[in-house]
C-alpha cells in the first residue's frame, strides 16, 4: 500500500503515515545512556540548527536525498541514508540495521529497529520471518536495542524506583562502594519493555517497536494507538515464526484495535472512554516509576 489514506486496521493516523503530523521534541534513546554525573555535566550540549522548524514533521527532517521517501515508504529515508539524520533521531546504524527514536512515540521511550540491505525488509513480517536466518538476525539485534532502551529507562527513572534505590545511592555518592566492585543490578527494566511488530503494519518497511510500557505521550491520541500496543496486535519477534492457524495472522477478524481499553498495569477496563484512560495512565505512570 503506497497511499497515506487511512485503513481500518492502521495503528496510526493518516497524518502520521504522511509524516505531516506535528512531532514532540526529541528526547529518546542515545548510545550514551549510561549515567555518569561528570560526563553529563561536561559533555557539550547539542545545538539545534537554526533552519530546523520549531514543529517537526517527518518531511522537515529529511535531507535532499531522502525526501523522495513519502507516506507509507517514509521509514525508507532512515535506512537509505541514516547519517543524514541527527543523533536525536538515529540512535545507531550498521550495514544491516538502523535504530531510531520514533518520530511519533506512544510512550516516554519508543524506539524502532529497521532492517536494511535485504529485500526481506520490504515484506510483511509474517512473510519475512519465514526466513530463519533473517529472523535470527532481527531477534539478535532487537535484544541489543532492548538493552539500550532499558538503560535509558534506568537513567530517567531509576532515582524514583525502590528496586534501584541501592544502585542510585552508589551513583549519587550517598553509599560507600569498593572500587572495581560491580554496581548493584537494581530493577530489571528490560523485562518490562513492550517489544514487537504490528500484525498489520502501517508502513511498508519492516520495523520492530521497542518501548516503555507507560503509554505516556502527546502522540498517544486515539484508541487504536493504545490498543495496537496493548492487545495481541503487537507480536513479540521472539514468538516468530507463527503457526499457520495463529489468530494474530488475521487481526481484522480478531478485532484487536476495537477491543475495550484496559489499563496495562492494573487491568481496569475503561470500555471506550479514552479520555478517562489517559487520566488514569498519568496516575499509573507515577506509581510504576516507584516500583
Amino acid at each position: 500500500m503506497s497511499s497515506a489514506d487511512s485503513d481500518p486496521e492502521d495503528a496510526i493516523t493518516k497524518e502520521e503515515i504522511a509524516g505531516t503530523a506535528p512531532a514532540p521534541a526529541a528526547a529518546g534513546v542515545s548510545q550514551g545512556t549510561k549515567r555518569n554525573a561528570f560526563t553529563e555535566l561536561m559533555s557539550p550540549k547539542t545545538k539545534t540548527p537554526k533552519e530546523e522548524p520549531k514543529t517537526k514533521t517527518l518531511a522537515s527532517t529529511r535531507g535532499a536525498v531522502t525526501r523522495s521517501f513519502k507516506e507509507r515508504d517514509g521509514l525508507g529515508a532512515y535506512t537509505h541514508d541514516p547519517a543524514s539524520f541527527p543523533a536525536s533521531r538515529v540512535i545507531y546504524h550498521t550495514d544491516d540495521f538502523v535504530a531510531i527514536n520514533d518520530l511519533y512515540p506512544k510512550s516516554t521511550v519508543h524506539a524502532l529497529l529497521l532492517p536494511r540491505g535485504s529485500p526481506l525488509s520490504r515484506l510483511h513480517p509474517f512473510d519475512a520471518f519465514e526466513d530463519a536466518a533473517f529472523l535470527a538476525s532481527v531477534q539478535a539485534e532487537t535484544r541489543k536495542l532492548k538493552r539500550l532502551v532499558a538503560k535509558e529507562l534506568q537513567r530517567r527513572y531509576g532515582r524514583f524506583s525502590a528496586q534501584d534505590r541501592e544502585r542510585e545511592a552508589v551513583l549519587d555518592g550517598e553509599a560507600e562502594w569498593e572500587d572495581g566492585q560491580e554496581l548493584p543490578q537494581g530493577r530489571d527494566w528490560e523485562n518490562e519493555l513492550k517489544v514487537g511488530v504490528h500484525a498489520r503494519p502501517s508502513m511498508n518497511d519492516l520495523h520492530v517497536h521497542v518501548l516503555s510500557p507507560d503509554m505516556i505521550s502527546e502522540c498517544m491520541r486515539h484508541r487504536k494507538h493504545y490498543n495496537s500496543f496493548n492487545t495481541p496486535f503487537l507480536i513479540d519477534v521472539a514468538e516468530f515464526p507463527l503457526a499457520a492457524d495463529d489468530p494474530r495472522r488475521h487481526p481484522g477478524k480478531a478485532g484487536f484495535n476495537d477491543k475495550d481499553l484496559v489499563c496495562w498495569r492494573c487491568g481496569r477496563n475503561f470500555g471506550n472512554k479514552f479520555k478517562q484512560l489517559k487520566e488514569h495512565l498519568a496516575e499509573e505512570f507515577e506509581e510504576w516509576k516507584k516500583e
Side-chain angles (χ1 to χ4, degrees), residues 84-142:
S84 68
F85 291 89
S88 59
R89 182 65 50 215
V90 173
I91 303 167
Y92 70 84
H93 60 90
T94 67
D95 290 342
D96 299 315
F97 293 96
V98 180
I100 67 172
N101 289 306
D102 197 317
L103 187 64
Y104 302 117
K106 301 307 185 289
S107 279
T108 55
V109 181
H110 187 171
L112 299 179
L113 180 67
L114 310 173
R116 64 192 299 228
S118 168
L120 295 173
S121 66
R122 292 283 292 176
L123 298 181
H124 191 290
F126 294 168
D127 299 318
F129 291 161
E130 291 296 325
D131 185 293
F134 180 73
L135 172 60
S137 69
V138 172
Q139 290 171 333
E141 199 69 24
T142 299

Side-chain angles (χ1 to χ4, degrees), residues 52-68:
E52 189 172 288
K54 292 182 179 179
T55 302
K56 289 184 179 180
T57 65
L58 178 58
S60 72
T61 61
R62 292 190 183 108
V65 177
T66 58
R67 244 176 234 126
S68 60

Side-chain angles (χ1 to χ4, degrees), residues 29-59:
V29 184
S30 69
Q31 283 280 39
T33 56
K34 187 174 181 180
R35 184 179 175 191
N36 182 300
F38 178 80
T39 55
E40 285 182 4
L41 286 170
M42 299 303 293
S43 60
K45 306 302 180 185
T46 302
K47 295 181 179 179
T48 302
K50 293 181 179 180
E51 68 273 10
E52 189 172 288
K54 292 182 179 179
T55 302
K56 289 184 179 180
T57 65
L58 178 58

Side-chain angles (χ1 to χ4, degrees), residues 1 33 58 84 176 213 265 269:
M1 187 180 294
T33 56
L58 178 58
S84 68
E176 294 185 4
R265 187 167 181 266
N269 191 319

